[in-house]
Amino acid sequence: MKNEAGSSLPLGLKRAKVAYAKPVWLLWLCIFGYDLPAQTAVLDSVYQLRTGREIILLGAGLVANGGAMLVRQGVIPFTAVQIDEINPGRINAFDRGAIKHWSPSAARFSDITLLGTVGLVGLTGLPTLRQKKWFTVPLMYAETMLLTVGVQDFVKFTTLRTRPFVYNANAPLSEKIGIDARRSFFSGHSAISFGSAVFASTVFGHYFPASKLKPVVWAGSLALATTTAVLRYEAGKHFPSDILVGAAFGSAVGWLVPYLHQRKPHRKGKSTNVTVQPWSNGIANGMYVQVRLN
């Protein structure tokens, strides 16, 4: 039996659902001030999931993470003797300045800003929960992070580049003889933060192409990601080249995953009518083609 509002849900359950959802939407509106109801009609027409593609993306991410864990088992940390023999003169001129930095507080703060970019994904993606397939964007982000984390970890454990702080006399020996001291290339914090920032901004732009807030979302998310990258440099955790490669890789994955899921205009919900017919005016002949999008 349907209630007065025409819903098949019991009236009490419907009221409870509205009461739960209302504070969430109010929070989003207070931050972004965006008119969500006007955009509701387009929410279900932006991305499309395909079983084969999702299996490939998720599988690739899981394989990369699994491979990283296996390679990690064979990593041997530095000994105190090896650290004494490390020669900073072998570092290229572009990266050499990083060895002057060591800051545990900057490292801790970079974890906070990293979480901020991840939180921004949830904030900008909040309106997409109104669509029927609410799990589409969360699944896409899971694929993005699995690929980003898995690949960067695998590369770290295969290249075994020494972190900048290992060359710094102010850094304690206990930090230098750990496995983490050999995981410099490339920056995971930069990859994850830029991947999250680009993902959030891209998804927001796809769902709300007419929004005046797009530049704000892009600028804010990239500024937060850049802050994370700079803090990793100040902490002595990464060379500039580690950060640039991490930022580039994360950005590429953060853009590519939404791009691969974009629904084509002629699929589901849109049809194309094509009319083709010959014409002649007695002097010239030709073909008349009319394309109508519904």
Side-chain angles (χ1 to χ4, degrees):
M1 178 180 293
K2 294 186 178 182
N3 57 41
E4 294 178 357
S7 171
S8 59
L9 289 175
L11 186 57
L13 180 58
K14 182 180 179 183
R15 286 174 176 170
K17 183 178 179 182
V18 172
Y20 172 78
K22 190 174 181 179
V24 178
W25 301 121
L26 286 176
L27 172 64
W28 199 95
L29 284 168
C30 288
I31 296 175
F32 287 98
Y34 195 82
D35 182 17
L36 292 181
Q39 297 292 323
T40 303
V42 302
L43 289 184
D44 288 328
S45 61
V46 178
Y47 297 120
Q48 182 180 39
L49 297 179
R50 291 185 178 178
T51 303
R53 179 179 55 210
E54 313 320 321
I55 291 176
I56 292 174
L57 291 175
L58 290 172
L62 291 172
V63 168
N65 280 275
M69 293 179 64
L70 290 175
V71 175
R72 184 183 189 278
Q73 305 306 313
V75 177
I76 301 174
F78 286 124
T79 64
V81 174
Q82 288 175 319
I83 291 174
D84 289 337
E85 296 175 347
I86 287 179
N87 179 16
R90 300 178 62 181
I91 303 174
N92 65 80
F94 178 71
D95 286 330
R96 197 171 300 152
I99 67 176
K100 300 176 182 178
H101 298 276
W102 165 250
S103 175
S105 59
R108 290 191 294 269
F109 194 44
S110 70
D111 293 337
I112 297 174
T113 55
L114 174 64
L115 290 176
T117 57
V118 175
L120 186 63
V121 174
L123 189 60
T124 56
L126 185 60
T128 67
L129 297 179
R130 302 187 71 182
Q131 62 183 346
K132 295 177 181 178
K133 295 184 178 180
W134 60 266
F135 51 84
T136 298
V137 172
L139 178 60
M140 288 165 50
Y141 185 61
E143 294 168 349
T144 301
M145 288 297 101
L146 277 174
L147 286 170
T148 302
V149 173
V151 171
Q152 63 90 19
D153 259 350
F154 185 82
V155 173
K156 281 184 174 182
F157 288 126
T158 52
T159 57
L160 296 178
R161 188 181 193 185
T162 305
R163 290 191 186 271
F165 72 80
V166 177
Y167 301 89
N168 192 309
N170 295 323
L173 180 62
S174 59
E175 293 283 345
K176 298 178 181 180
I177 60 176
I179 291 179
D180 185 64
R182 306 190 68 184
R183 301 178 65 241
S184 187
F185 185 81
F186 50 91
S187 173
H189 276 66
S190 297
I192 294 172
S193 58
F194 274 90
S196 298
V198 172
F199 180 91
S201 302
T202 301
V203 169
F204 183 85
H206 285 166
Y207 274 104
F208 307 110
S211 174
K212 295 180 180 180
L213 292 171
K214 287 196 298 182
V216 176
V217 174
W218 273 102
S221 61
L222 291 178
L224 195 57
T226 301
T227 300
T228 301
V230 171
L231 287 170
R232 298 305 284 176
Y233 177 78
E234 292 296 329
K237 293 289 188 177
H238 290 290
F239 295 100
S241 57
D242 302 332
I243 293 171
L244 291 175
V245 173
F249 177 75
S251 298
V253 178
W255 173 83
L256 181 62
V257 171
Y259 172 79
L260 291 176
H261 288 81
Q262 274 189 288
R263 188 189 296 273
K264 298 298 184 292
H266 63 275
R267 293 176 184 163
K268 275 190 179 182
K270 291 203 174 185
S271 60
T272 303
N273 296 325
V274 181
T275 303
V276 180
Q277 61 185 35
W279 62 268
S280 175
N281 60 9
I283 300 176
N285 300 314
M287 297 292 294
Y288 171 79
V289 180
Q290 180 185 49
V291 179
R292 185 174 70 250
L293 299 178
N294 295 328

